[in-house]
């Protein structure tokens, strides 16, 4: 991290600052952020794969997409004892995977601030 001078007031500021703390002039730095809520909802409503694609974890996204398709086929296979268990497992996994994607989005945001 280096110090640069603000073009407006001459104050020394971090090269990672988005605006000068003294005068408020934007530096032009844009920080890409991922919403933890969007990651959670993507995984919750789409079977654990959408949130991983959203935060850039493509391998996990593909793995969970395949397992989601398999789980759907088992849930609606016509066997009543599998339908209920499939629905319960889906709900539990949705919460767990949603929370994991939410944490990964927060880590992504922190890594963008460190660069």
């Amino acid at each position: 991290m280096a110090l640069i001078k603000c073009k407006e007031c001459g104050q020394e500021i971090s090269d990672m600052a988005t605006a000068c703390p003294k005068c408020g002039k934007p530096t032009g730095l844009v920080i890409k952020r991922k919403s933890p809520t969007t990651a959670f909802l993507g995984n919750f409503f789409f079977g654990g794969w959408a949130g991983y694609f959203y935060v850039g974890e493509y391998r996990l996204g593909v793995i969970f997409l395949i397992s989601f398709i398999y789980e759907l086929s088992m849930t609606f296979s016509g066997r009543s004892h599998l339908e209920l268990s499939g629905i319960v497992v889906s709900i539990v996994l949705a919460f767990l995977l949603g929370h994991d994607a939410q944490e990964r989005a927060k880590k992504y945001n922190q890594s963008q601030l460190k660069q």
Side-chain angles (χ1 to χ4, degrees), residues 51-69:
Y52 288 117
F53 279 106
Y54 176 70
V55 297
E57 298 279 347
Y58 301 111
R59 288 184 196 149
L60 283 173
V62 169
I63 290 168
F64 284 108
L65 178 59
I66 292 167
S67 68
F68 175 68
I69 292 168

Side-chain angles (χ1 to χ4, degrees), residues 46-106:
F46 296 103
W49 59 271
Y52 288 117
F53 279 106
Y54 176 70
V55 297
E57 298 279 347
Y58 301 111
R59 288 184 196 149
L60 283 173
V62 169
I63 290 168
F64 284 108
L65 178 59
I66 292 167
S67 68
F68 175 68
I69 292 168
Y70 175 75
E71 193 176 313
L72 278 178
S73 69
M74 292 303 292
T75 301
F76 299 107
S77 65
R79 299 181 186 125
S80 61
H81 65 283
L82 289 177
E83 288 178 19
L84 181 58
S85 65
I87 291 169
V88 170
V89 167
S90 295
I91 292 171
V92 171
L93 278 176
F95 276 110
L96 294 175
L97 296 175
H99 178 71
D100 183 53
Q102 192 174 26
E103 292 301 314
R104 287 174 188 267
K106 289 177 185 176

